Amino acid sequence: MWQVPGWRWWNDSVKTGADIKQKTILTIQLLLFAACWLGSGKEISAQQAVLQGLVTDHTSAQPLYGANIVLNPESDEHALLGTTSDSEGYYRVASIQPGRWVVQISYVGYTSYTDTLMIREGESRSLNISLEPDDAELGELIVSGAGGAARREDGAQRISPVDLRRVPGPASGDLAAYLQTLPGVVSMGDRGGQVFIRGGTPSENMVLVDGALIYQPTHIVGFFSPFPQNLVSGVDFYAGGFGPRYSGRSSSVMDIRMKHGDLYSTSGTAALNPFAAEITAEGPIRTGQTSWIVSLRNSLIEETSSWYPIEKQPLRFQSQFAKASYIERDSRCSAMIMRTYDRGRMDFDNPESIRWRNFLLGGRCIALPEDSDILLDVNASMSHFTNSVGDTDSPFGFTSSISRINTEVNLRQYVGEVRFQYGLHARLKNLEYDLGEQFVGFDMHTESQFNIGGHFETGIPAGDLLLQPGFALSFYPGTYGVTVDPRFRFTWKPFGMETGEVTGAAGLYRQPIIGISDMRDLSSVFVAWMIGSVDDSQMEAIHTMIGWQQTLTDGFTWSVESYYKRIRNIPVPLWSPLARFTTDLVLAKGDVYGADLRVEYNRGRLYALIGYGYNHILYESVQDHFNEWFGEPLQEYHPPHDRRHQLNALFSLDVGSFTTAVRWQFGTGFPYTRPIGFDDLLEFRDRLPLTRSERGVRRVILEKPYQGRLPTYHRLDLSLSRSFRISRSGSELNLRAGAVNLYNRANLFYYDVYTHRRIDQLPFAPYLTIEMNVQ
């Protein structure tokens, strides 16, 4: 591992083979960047003109991802140039010859913009456009939109509000429910809120909300999150192989952008169902320039579970969100605040309860000034998370909390055809934990970590190939020193093929803080955050992936992506032949490989998605107990989130004012450690026990770790909704009837080997959702 203290990293590091190899790679990258900067761009830009800008929604300033920008010279109607806008609404058209050009910008459901521009030689012009919604086309937005589950752009899947609302469920659309329809994303069930992505644990996922990090992004009821469809503007989801802009996590990234409020009119939505109630409202502060949006959500399942022939569900959650935005033609700035609270018991007969809280505060500005070729993204945020476990009627037994202050500046610009993305960040974290005897050697502690760093990535076009080398740089005074994570991505359109694309990525990913869970218990959701673990080593992972995506006909797309991850310095609980509460921590290493296949159809009023994921996770650990019991200190095992096969099917059909949605999920069983018997422990330390009359303490004797498999999981969800317009102003009443687990499959969630008692996930649970939209 190339990791040295101080700034003299280039000359003073140990001359190992890995050091020399990584330095050679970085040297080549730096020379390549310099050559591109000095040689490729300036001469080209002096000859050809560039048009760039931001495309947004006129009423809310939301970026319109996938807007079409077409340039047509008046002298030749067939010499077209064009592109589409990205997730920030940014577009760029280069290689424009001098002359008069007709510019047309269009997006489904919006009135097109058309203008004639006189383009001069070598000119770099900014054109920021706000498109107005077209009432005659708004209905098409329900079934249309850029992106999709089978498509990638720049390595990311773009998730839109349209995608969220297709998933059946009591909510009108939720990010947590949608993620569970994707291959490679594994959830432990309908409670706990744990999400595992391509072999990574929940603490290895980075989830950003308008640039602010949220540590626990889901609620304790698994298909709810603080991100309902009516708050989310869009999500960039990287299942792996993400670029150097994102550093500090080793598995995946979800970059969530929240909506701005309406700049021109006030409106609101209220929804009620047996699981939760929520209210959202938005409107202008100063018409056309500033806006607000607020949302409140509170669970009802603890009160309404008595309506069903099931055990009372001791689960509660709530979230609050508010955002104010200031919009100008060439920039948009916002400030937001978010709070979440969750509390519940995983084992209903056990008084032990889990609680967690998130608090986020942040501000962000995105700007593309007139006549500037730099897209600027600046944000500052504060995040706080705390979770605790203990008996409901007594002070909680152990707690862990973490706070993070972050400031960063990200820039994007072009020199000729070469794209440069770079930025700087400064982060301060404060961690506290009181674990009692949960983990031996980790009791009570408070620690802080400060780091500064930056990232650099370039996009170099080479015919049909786009190369994206880059690196993330971090400096941790007093702990890890300087670290450099090289990363490389590429896209290739074979032989200029517009309907098919090969994508690939490779890179090194380090994680300076660790979220530790007791993996011995599948239902445990408590996370202890700390800097390093065991020997103060950073967790690190090497990602490699390659994929293919193709559009066969209009609306029909398929993709396949294979991946391999090599993970080191994974903190895991020490295996013991006896089931017990306390444990030591040891380090393991792991190998993850698999593939995701997606087939998607989106045409007219029908949407269909079928996804299959194959995933193989293998850990390797050296422990003394292994040598004592099995004769070998090194053992290999599959951790408890190793779901080998997963199949998801999602269908949505619009007929008139009715919408039908169906989702079916199937997953093979998780690994678990099988008990092989019981014994009774008699203590001789205080006195001689009466062996004929005292039984001692009952203990479970365990087999090798995770050699068994739980039963398979499958579930069918269904919903039918209809909208009623109730006023000329556009107010609507939406009714949604449906059921969770339609054929009442008994899916196992928790099993107590002492009492032979099982707790299942939700049985058949019908619901009716009433939603009122007031304009």
Side-chain angles (χ1 to χ4, degrees):
M1 179 177 66
W2 182 25
Q3 181 174 301
V4 295
W7 287 103
R8 299 175 59 191
W9 53 273
W10 187 263
N11 294 316
D12 296 342
S13 60
V14 178
K15 305 299 184 182
T16 65
D19 293 331
I20 295 172
K21 183 177 180 180
Q22 290 192 13
K23 288 180 181 179
T24 301
I25 293 172
L26 182 58
T27 302
I28 293 172
Q29 289 180 348
L30 292 174
L31 291 175
L32 186 59
F33 298 156
C36 294
W37 181 276
L38 296 175
S40 67
K42 294 184 178 181
E43 182 177 348
I44 296 174
S45 62
Q47 302 297 326
Q48 298 173 333
V50 172
L51 180 68
Q52 62 182 355
L54 299 172
V55 184
T56 57
D57 180 301
H58 176 71
T59 60
S60 63
Q62 308 298 340
L64 296 181
Y65 164 59
N68 292 306
I69 297 89
V70 177
L71 278 71
N72 184 8
E74 287 189 341
S75 59
D76 185 355
E77 296 182 356
H78 302 288
L80 299 178
L81 295 175
T83 187
T84 58
S85 57
D86 65 11
S87 58
E88 296 296 347
Y90 175 78
Y91 71 92
R92 183 178 186 272
V93 181
S95 304
I96 305 175
Q97 296 297 327
R100 294 179 65 84
W101 291 77
V102 177
V103 180
Q104 185 175 38
I105 301 177
S106 61
Y107 191 80
V108 175
Y110 288 80
T111 302
S112 297
Y113 168 87
T114 303
D115 196 5
T116 301
L117 302 178
M118 181 64 193
I119 305 294
R120 296 176 178 81
E121 182 176 347
E123 180 181 14
S124 179
R125 178 180 293 193
S126 295
L127 182 63
N128 299 318
I129 297 299
S130 296
L131 298 182
E132 296 193 13
D134 185 346
D135 292 338
E137 298 184 28
L138 282 177
E140 293 300 315
L141 285 174
I142 296 175
V143 295
S144 301
R151 295 182 60 83
R152 305 287 184 279
E153 182 177 318
D154 204 21
Q157 177 187 338
R158 316 292 188 185
I159 302 173
S160 71
V162 175
D163 298 313
L164 304 187
R165 67 184 300 170
R166 292 187 176 118
V167 182
S172 59
D174 193 284
L175 181 58
Y178 178 78
L179 289 175
Q180 295 175 35
T181 68
L182 302 179
V185 178
V186 171
S187 172
M188 289 301 182
D190 50 35
R191 68 190 64 138
Q194 302 289 79
V195 176
F196 302 80
I197 299 174
R198 289 186 176 176
T201 63
S203 62
E204 298 169 38
N205 302 325
M206 172 179 283
V207 181
L208 301 172
V209 185
D210 281 351
L213 182 70
I214 183 170
Y215 287 92
Q216 176 53 278
T218 55
H219 282 310
I220 200 167
V221 179
F223 40 85
F224 283 95
S225 75
F227 310 108
Q229 171 258 332
N230 54 7
L231 281 185
V232 174
S233 171
V235 181
D236 288 348
F237 174 51
Y238 300 83
F242 41 93
R245 173 176 177 174
Y246 304 104
S247 61
R249 289 294 186 273
S250 58
S251 182
S252 69
V253 170
M254 278 185 286
D255 194 345
I256 304 170
R257 294 172 300 281
M258 307 297 273
K259 287 183 178 179
H260 302 291
D262 196 304
L263 291 165
Y264 296 93
S265 62
T266 301
S267 61
T269 300
L272 179 68
N273 60 68
F275 292 86
E278 61 181 289
I279 297 175
T280 303
E282 61 180 315
I285 301 174
R286 184 175 180 181
T287 303
Q289 190 172 53
T290 55
S291 66
W292 59 272
I293 183 170
V294 297
S295 178
L296 307 173
R297 173 182 270 186
N298 193 77
S299 66
L300 300 174
I301 188 172
E302 194 167 42
E303 293 79 12
T304 61
S305 57
S306 60
W307 300 357
Y308 301 98
I310 60 176
E311 295 179 274
K312 182 178 180 180
Q313 305 289 307
L315 307 169
R316 181 172 295 279
F317 65 85
Q318 59 180 236
S319 58
Q320 301 89 36
F321 175 81
K323 180 175 180 178
S325 304
Y326 174 76
I327 308 299
E328 290 189 333
R329 185 176 181 85
D330 57 0
S331 64
R332 51 183 185 266
C333 295
S334 62
M336 68 90 183
I337 185 171
M338 172 179 279
R339 176 189 174 273
T340 76
Y341 171 78
D342 291 78
R343 184 267 297 156
R345 300 200 308 270
M346 301 298 102
D347 183 345
F348 300 157
D349 291 341
N350 190 327
E352 184 177 87
S353 184
I354 174 78
R355 296 180 185 176
W356 69 74
R357 293 179 176 88
N358 288 292
F359 178 78
L360 283 71
L361 182 66
R364 186 176 194 180
C365 281
I366 296 175
L368 181 66
E370 295 288 342
D371 301 323
S372 172
D373 62 350
I374 297 179
L375 179 66
L376 176 68
D377 183 351
V378 181
N379 76 75
S381 63
M382 189 278 287
S383 304
H384 178 76
F385 172 74
T386 181
N387 66 156
S388 52
V389 174
D391 290 349
T392 306
D393 300 325
S394 64
F396 272 35
F398 41 92
T399 64
S400 174
S401 64
I402 180 171
S403 299
R404 178 183 190 256
I405 298 175
N406 176 71
T407 59
E408 61 182 288
V409 178
N410 300 293
L411 303 103
R412 183 195 310 176
Q413 70 178 120
Y414 286 79
V415 178
E417 296 296 318
V418 180
R419 183 185 67 196
F420 293 90
Q421 293 179 277
Y422 51 95
L424 299 171
H425 70 258
R427 294 167 186 158
L428 175 64
K429 307 180 190 77
N430 186 70
L431 304 91
E432 297 182 17
Y433 56 83
D434 180 358
L435 304 182
E437 297 181 352
Q438 169 74 357
F439 298 108
V440 176
F442 299 92
D443 189 2
M444 297 178 62
H445 197 57
T446 300
E447 53 191 347
S448 298
Q449 182 187 77
F450 174 73
N451 86 286
I452 57 174
H455 69 274
F456 190 90
E457 185 180 48
T458 184
I460 306 170
D464 300 326
L465 188 64
L466 177 64
L467 306 175
Q468 296 176 265
F471 61 87
L473 174 70
S474 295
F475 173 49
Y476 301 88
T479 53
Y480 305 124
V482 175
T483 62
V484 180
D485 297 352
R487 300 178 188 176
F488 176 77
R489 301 183 294 161
F490 76 89
T491 59
W492 176 45
K493 293 184 180 294
F495 316 110
M497 185 178 182
E498 288 299 324
T499 58
E501 183 177 85
V502 179
T503 59
L508 175 62
Y509 300 82
R510 289 191 178 97
Q511 185 159 333
I513 60 170
I514 304 297
I516 298 174
S517 297
D518 194 347
M519 298 170 60
R520 300 171 302 171
D521 185 355
L522 190 66
S523 65
S524 175
V525 297
F526 174 77
V527 178
W529 289 95
M530 58 186 66
I531 298 175
S533 63
V534 185
D535 63 356
D536 296 324
S537 299
Q538 286 196 75
M539 180 187 291
E540 60 180 45
I542 296 175
H543 292 202
T544 58
M545 54 202 311
I546 189 166
W548 167 259
Q549 61 184 27
Q550 184 178 14
T551 300
L552 297 179
T553 61
D554 188 18
F556 183 60
T557 305
W558 75 282
S559 68
V560 62
E561 188 170 63
S562 62
Y563 55 89
Y564 169 76
K565 297 200 300 188
R566 190 175 188 184
I567 313 172
R568 296 296 178 265
N569 302 323
I570 310 168
V572 297
L574 179 73
W575 179 86
S576 171
L578 304 173
R580 59 185 184 180
F581 175 72
T582 60
T583 182
D584 284 322
L585 289 173
V586 295
L587 292 181
K589 55 185 178 180
D591 292 280
V592 181
Y593 62 85
D596 294 343
L597 173 66
R598 312 180 197 203
V599 179
E600 184 178 31
Y601 182 80
N602 183 14
R603 181 79 183 275
R605 298 183 176 274
L606 175 64
Y607 176 85
L609 169 66
I610 298 176
Y612 167 74
Y614 174 82
N615 190 51
H616 184 280
I617 314 170
L618 186 66
Y619 280 8
E620 180 182 287
S621 180
V622 176
Q623 302 180 21
D624 291 337
H625 275 307
F626 291 155
N627 192 42
E628 294 171 3
W629 280 73
F630 311 125
E632 291 288 341
L634 186 149
Q635 292 290 321
E636 295 181 337
Y637 61 91
H638 303 290
H641 56 283
D642 176 43
R643 171 164 280 169
R644 192 59 47 82
H645 304 278
Q646 183 161 291
L647 182 64
N648 298 285
L650 174 65
F651 300 92
S652 177
L653 177 65
D654 292 283
V655 179
S657 56
F658 290 90
T659 298
T660 303
V662 181
R663 176 180 66 169
W664 185 73
Q665 296 174 284
F666 171 86
T668 52
F670 293 116
Y672 75 102
T673 302
R674 290 184 293 214
I676 58 177
F678 293 88
D679 75 350
D680 294 322
L681 175 65
L682 295 171
E683 291 281 357
F684 283 79
R685 287 177 294 187
D686 299 328
R687 62 178 177 83
L688 291 176
L690 302 175
T691 58
R692 292 186 177 182
S693 60
E694 295 182 9
R695 296 188 56 183
V697 179
R698 178 60 56 90
R699 301 184 302 177
V700 181
I701 303 175
L702 302 175
E703 199 183 44
K704 284 186 177 184
Y706 305 111
Q707 297 299 304
R709 288 274 175 177
L710 295 175
T712 58
Y713 166 91
H714 52 89
R715 192 179 86 185
L716 178 68
D717 297 345
L718 173 69
S719 71
L720 175 65
S721 59
R722 183 180 179 184
S723 298
F724 301 88
R725 178 160 295 196
I726 58 176
S727 72
R728 294 182 179 180
S729 62
S731 296
E732 285 186 342
L733 173 65
N734 299 317
L735 299 179
R736 183 182 306 104
V740 175
N741 196 1
L742 189 64
Y743 52 76
N744 202 29
R745 162 74 176 181
N747 290 304
L748 179 66
F749 176 71
Y750 178 84
Y751 183 77
D752 189 330
V753 296
Y754 287 96
T755 63
H756 298 287
R757 180 176 54 85
R758 64 180 282 166
I759 294 178
D760 289 331
Q761 299 185 36
L762 283 177
F764 170 70
Y767 59 84
L768 174 65
T769 299
I770 303 173
E771 182 180 86
M772 177 70 74
N773 299 320
V774 179
Q775 302 291 331

